[in-house]
Structure formats: C-alpha cells, structure tokens
Amino acid sequence: MGFDFNSLLAFIIFGITIGVVYGIVALGISLIYSGLDIVHFAHGEMYMFGAFFGLVLVHDAGFPYPIALVGAMVLTALLGMFVERVFYRRLTRAGGGYTVAGMGMIICGFGMSVALVNVAYFIWGAEAEPFRANLDYIPRLEFGDGIQVPESYVLTAIISVVLMLALNYFLRYTKIGLAVRAVAHNKEIAYLMGINVPLMISLIFGLACARAAAAGVLIGPMQSVQVEMGYLMLMKAFAAAVVGGFGSLPGAIVGGIMVGIFENLGAAYISPSHKDIYAFLLLILVLSIRPSGLFGIEAKVKA
Amino acid sequence: MLQVNKVEAGYGKLKILRGVTMTVPQGEIVTLLGGNGTGKSTMLKAVSGLIPVMSGNIIFDGVDISTMKPHERMRLGLVQVTQSKEAYPAMTVEENLMLGAYTRSDRASIAADLEKVYGFFPVLKERRKQLSATLSGGEVQMLVIGRGLMAGPKMLMLDEPSAAIAPKVVLEIFSNINKIAKSGVTILVVEQNVRMALILANYGYIIRDGVIMMEGKADSLISDPAVKESFLGGSVADTSKKLQSG
C-alpha cells in the first residue's frame, strides 16, 4: 500500500481542530497559573460542567446551540469564580497576599476535582449522554481529494480561534486587560497602582473557566458528554501547557495544536488503541530537548 | 498632609515598627533614613496599606486611612513609588506609565500628565515603545517615579530612589524629585543615601529598630555630629551645589 498524502492531510486537519480545543483549555490553565500562581487541578471539571451546562441548555431549555455556548461559558465562569472566592482564596490568603501557600493549594485543587465530579454524578448520573446539536447552517469544508470536515469541527476551529484572538485583544489593548497583566506579574505593585486586585483575580478565574466551558460545549457534539470526561482533558491540556511552556499563553495554543496533531498521527500510523499515550510521548520528547517548554523562558515572563 | 501616630506594624506576629510617629507637612519633602532592616520599608507598606496597622493610626489629608485597602488609599492621592526593580518588564514604557493612571478616566488630563512626565524624564519618551526590561537601572527608576506621577498624586512616597543606581544618575533623579515637589506634590522619601536625602529634604527622621531615633530640620541633621559620625563622611557642600544647579 502506497503512502496516501490525502489521508495524512486529513489526520493533520483533524489534529489541528482537536488541538485548538486542548489549546483553549490549556490557555485557561496557563492564565490561572500566570495570574494566580495556582496550578488548577480541577480545571477538567470546569470543562465537564461546561459541557453539561451546554447540553442542558440545548436539550432541556431548547436554546439554539450558539446561545447555549455563551450561556454555558457564563454559568461556568460563575461556578469558577464561586469556587475560587469561597475555597481557594482562603488558602492563597494564608500567604499574606495572593500567593500559594505550598502544597495545600495542589491538594485543594485535587479535592475540588473529586468533589465537583461527585456533584455532577449526583445531578446528571453516570451515563454518557449524546449531545445533539443542530449545526446544519454551518458549511462542511472540503479539502483536496474529498476530505470532508464535519460541521462541528469547522465550528470548533472557528470559535476557538475567535476566543484566542478575543483574549489576546483583551489583554493587550484594554485597560482592564492591562490591569490583569499587572496583577499577573506582581500583585503588590498592582495594588499600589490602585487596581482592585481581588476583583481582577475573580475575573481571571472566570475567564479561564469560561474557556474550559467553551471547549466542553464544542467537544460535546463530537463525542458524548459524561461526568468523567474532565480528567483526560485535564491531562491533555496540561501536556499542551507544559509543551508550550507553562504560563505562556501563545505557548498553550501551540502546545495544544502540537498535542492534537501528534495524537492523531500516532493513532493513525502506530496504533489507535493507545491514542491517549501520544500526548505524553510528545511531552517527554519536548521536555528532554527544551526543559522549560517551547515558549518557556528562564526568567518567567508572564501573560 | 500625612500624620502617622504611634503606629505599630509588622508581618504576622512579628512586630517591626514599635510606635512610630511622624508628620509630613503639605508641599514639603520629608525623608525617612535608616540602614537595612530598620523598618523603613515596613513603614511605607503600613502607610500604603500593604500590611495592616496593629495599633496607632494614619491620617492622610484629614481622613483616617488606617484600615483602608491599598487601592482605596491610592485613590485618595497617596501614591507609593516602588523600588526601581519593580516595573513590569514585559510591558512597554508607555504601558507602565498608563498603568499608573489606571484609576483615572479623564483622557485629556492623563495625556497632559504623560507629557509632563516625559518633560521630567525625556529619556522615557525616547524609549516609550520599548519593553521596560530593556531599560537601565536609572531609567527604570525614572519610569517608576513617572508611573507614580501618572496617578495624579497629592503625595508621593519614594522607596530608595537611589538604590543600585550610578551616582551621576542619582543626581539627575534627585533634582527631578525636587522639581516634582516644586510642582506641588508632597514627598516622603525613604533612603539609605543619607547625604543626598538630607540635601534634598526639608525635614528628616532617622529610624532604628522600629523607633524614631532622631528627627529635625534637614540642614541641622546634616551638621549634627552624631549623624555625621554614623552616616556621613566628607563634605556635603559640592553635592548640594550640583543638586540645586541640576
């Protein structure tokens, strides 16, 4: 059997679409890390809750898909802000400011992850639910010799790119974005600039969780929605964030896309049953060459 | 303008300031002097609100600010300029300056103040699109002072503006601080460079182990034998001349 460039192209295109989704989840993880110095282990659950919120809004409330997407982002942002305000802030405050008080934060993140999964079990049960969304108005794309990209993939790619650009615009060109970057770099000076630091921290958390929710709603129609879905996404997104350089926002995106492509190629040409391993092979490979990740810099330049 | 009454403050249970009382009158330059670990920076943090006051109170412009949050104090016009290493390296010079004006919304007066800052420190205008990580130590110090000015302060508190900067640049920065004071901003400057600070200031306090050891008019402190012996060596006359002419 000769080598088929057409299918290679297809695998790469699908890899990129799934990769940008890893990218936006990783973006949230990096944003929280660079802003709050928290490695957020419950971020996968934000993704899962986002997917369920989207599902409920479409199936039960009957909203059209785009509105459900926005609704799920808002609800998850509120959930994330609630979790940060009520639980995490107690720990971060123990350091006198908003820095991490050692191991406690990591354990708290894991605990939150388990707690949120069980809350979700309680509400939605253990069964995987299919996410039926009407996407007929979105065109299918065709590449080369009849490679068809389904609607949900096209939509995913578009929305992810829009979310990334919006975040970039927000951080670079708005006054609040400037304040967020200031808080990320040094909370003490940000305070002295008259910035309401606690409010900005809530905002960072909300933005990051909204991005995870968007990923959940976008992935929903491709796979099914179930309570345990957060764990694997968290691992992939972490791999993406670390490959890109932890805390670097462009790094998170590039890392996500690399993980997506690598995973799809591995599944296609090595073995599909080990699909979830390839992300970590890539991780080991990148870290052995560049220990701080692709965009990681020795002196951490944040956000 | 600022009155600090018997303030005790510190970190956690550790008390650094043990009842400090000092006054900064409107329109004057007051300096707080002392070596490392004497409580100078703790004093600034207590005034700007980064650490809580354990006892005593702080009055600014007639308002008791002892329990206010830092950003609230800053909105009253009490602005702390941090040490020079604390600019935002990944932001451009102009972004850093605009961050100083974060609490203000009047674009016209912000733009006017930006020009004023560029007037004080022309080098910042030259470098306004550069990342502040690329600036020299002296330039970063100018940047953080400029950033403080962008807040439109009634009073500016400076934390060791001469630290780790070449002597020639120190002179330039101090003469600009003098100009800023003449433009109507009250100034409290914390320094280890006792000679420069006393030449600049009207009044001085010397702190040791969290209490005020000595205070007085700057020119009388300069000639005080005890101060001379512990902090100063040699003549102050020519430095003074340079500062006034610069």
Side-chain angles (χ1 to χ4, degrees), chain B residues 84-104:
Chain B
S84 58
K85 55 181 188 267
E86 292 169 335
Y88 290 107
M91 292 183 192
T92 65
V93 167
E94 195 151 296
E95 277 178 325
N96 261 288
L97 290 173
M98 291 312 286
L99 201 58
Y102 178 76
T103 53
R104 305 165 61 192

Side-chain angles (χ1 to χ4, degrees), chain B residues 133-203:
Chain B
T134 63
L135 300 184
S136 75
E139 287 162 352
V140 175
Q141 183 59 50
M142 296 175 198
L143 177 59
V144 293
I145 294 177
R147 193 173 63 188
L149 283 176
M150 288 302 291
K154 291 179 189 160
M155 177 169 163
L156 211 51
M157 297 191 288
L158 301 158
D159 193 358
E160 298 198 27
S162 77
I165 294 173
K168 205 178 139 203
V169 184
V170 170
L171 202 64
E172 185 190 339
I173 287 172
F174 271 53
S175 76
N176 272 305
I177 295 174
N178 203 15
K179 280 184 208 154
I180 291 165
K182 288 206 171 102
S183 77
V185 181
T186 308
I187 287 179
L188 172 62
V189 53
V190 162
E191 258 303 341
Q192 293 203 52
N193 189 336
V194 171
R195 179 203 310 277
M196 286 300 290
L198 284 177
I199 292 168
L200 176 75
N202 309 98
Y203 200 86

Side-chain angles (χ1 to χ4, degrees), chain A residues 175 181 185 189 193-194, chain B residues 74-75 86 88 95 102 104:
Chain A
K175 196 173 168 184
R181 284 158 65 201
H185 180 74
I189 315 176
M193 298 295 112
Chain B
M74 193 261 188
R75 276 161 212 245
E86 292 169 335
Y88 290 107
E95 277 178 325
Y102 178 76
R104 305 165 61 192

Side-chain angles (χ1 to χ4, degrees), chain A:
Chain A
M1 194 180 89
F3 188 76
D4 180 2
F5 269 109
N6 216 25
S7 54
L8 173 67
L9 186 65
F11 292 132
I12 290 179
I13 289 169
F14 284 109
I16 292 174
T17 15
I18 195 77
V20 285
V21 178
Y22 295 153
I24 56 175
V25 178
L27 199 60
I29 291 173
S30 271
L31 192 62
I32 291 177
Y33 176 72
S34 70
L36 285 72
D37 296 328
I38 292 173
V39 179
H40 191 216
F41 281 101
H43 212 63
E45 277 58 51
M46 295 298 159
Y47 159 78
M48 177 266 288
F49 264 86
F52 269 108
F53 285 145
L55 185 89
V56 168
L57 287 172
V58 169
H59 287 188
D60 301 339
F63 284 112
Y65 185 78
I67 294 183
L69 175 69
V70 175
M73 286 173 72
V74 171
L75 288 174
T76 312
L78 292 175
L79 174 69
M81 284 152 95
F82 170 79
V83 165
E84 188 275 329
R85 185 71 191 78
V86 175
F87 299 101
Y88 298 159
R89 196 164 293 183
R90 285 171 206 280
L91 276 93
T92 50
R93 194 178 281 163
Y98 293 90
T99 50
V100 181
M103 244 351 236
M105 194 64 238
I106 290 175
I107 304 297
C108 185
F110 272 121
M112 186 53 62
S113 160
V114 174
L116 287 173
V117 164
N118 282 285
V119 168
Y121 268 127
F122 184 74
I123 304 174
W124 291 298
E127 277 185 36
E129 290 193 48
F131 193 144
R132 288 179 304 274
N134 175 18
L135 298 171
D136 292 342
Y137 44 87
I138 298 177
R140 277 173 179 254
L141 283 189
E142 284 210 16
F143 283 94
D145 274 343
I147 307 167
Q148 288 217 342
V149 183
E151 299 88 343
S152 57
Y153 282 76
V154 176
L155 184 73
T156 299
I158 293 171
I159 303 246
S160 303
V161 170
V162 167
L163 284 175
M164 290 167 197
L165 294 179
L167 183 68
N168 182 55
Y169 178 84
F170 169 73
L171 288 175
R172 291 251 157 252
Y173 300 108
T174 68
K175 196 173 168 184
I176 299 181
L178 192 63
V180 166
R181 284 158 65 201
V183 169
H185 180 74
N186 186 325
K187 282 153 204 66
E188 222 171 62
I189 315 176
Y191 250 132
L192 296 177
M193 298 295 112
I195 294 166
N196 188 339
V197 175
L199 189 70
M200 290 303 142
I201 287 175
S202 287
L203 183 68
I204 290 173
F205 229 87
L207 278 175
C209 291
R211 261 151 191 75
V217 179
L218 290 172
I219 291 278
M222 301 183 200
Q223 304 167 357
S224 55
V225 176
Q226 52 143 337
V227 168
E228 300 279 0
M229 71 196 280
Y231 171 73
L232 204 55
M233 174 54 90
L234 179 79
M235 290 298 131
K236 301 278 176 64
F238 263 130
V242 175
V243 163
F246 216 77
S248 156
L249 301 187
I253 304 293
V254 174
I257 292 172
M258 283 180 69
V259 167
I261 294 176
F262 204 78
E263 186 175 88
N264 259 297
L265 292 181
Y269 295 107
I270 304 172
S271 152
S273 55
H274 299 108
K275 187 164 182 274
D276 296 327
I277 295 179
Y278 303 120
F280 304 101
L281 285 179
L282 176 70
L283 181 67
I284 294 168
L285 201 68
V286 168
L287 290 188
S288 59
I289 299 167
R290 274 190 68 98
S292 51
L294 294 175
F295 287 64
I297 304 167
E298 292 295 314
K300 193 168 57 178
V301 175
K302 288 171 154 185

Side-chain angles (χ1 to χ4, degrees), chain B residues 219-239:
Chain B
D219 39 14
S220 66
L221 282 181
I222 266 189
S223 49
D224 188 288
V227 176
K228 234 177 198 167
E229 192 172 328
S230 40
F231 294 113
L232 303 168
S235 131
V236 295
D238 24 293
T239 327

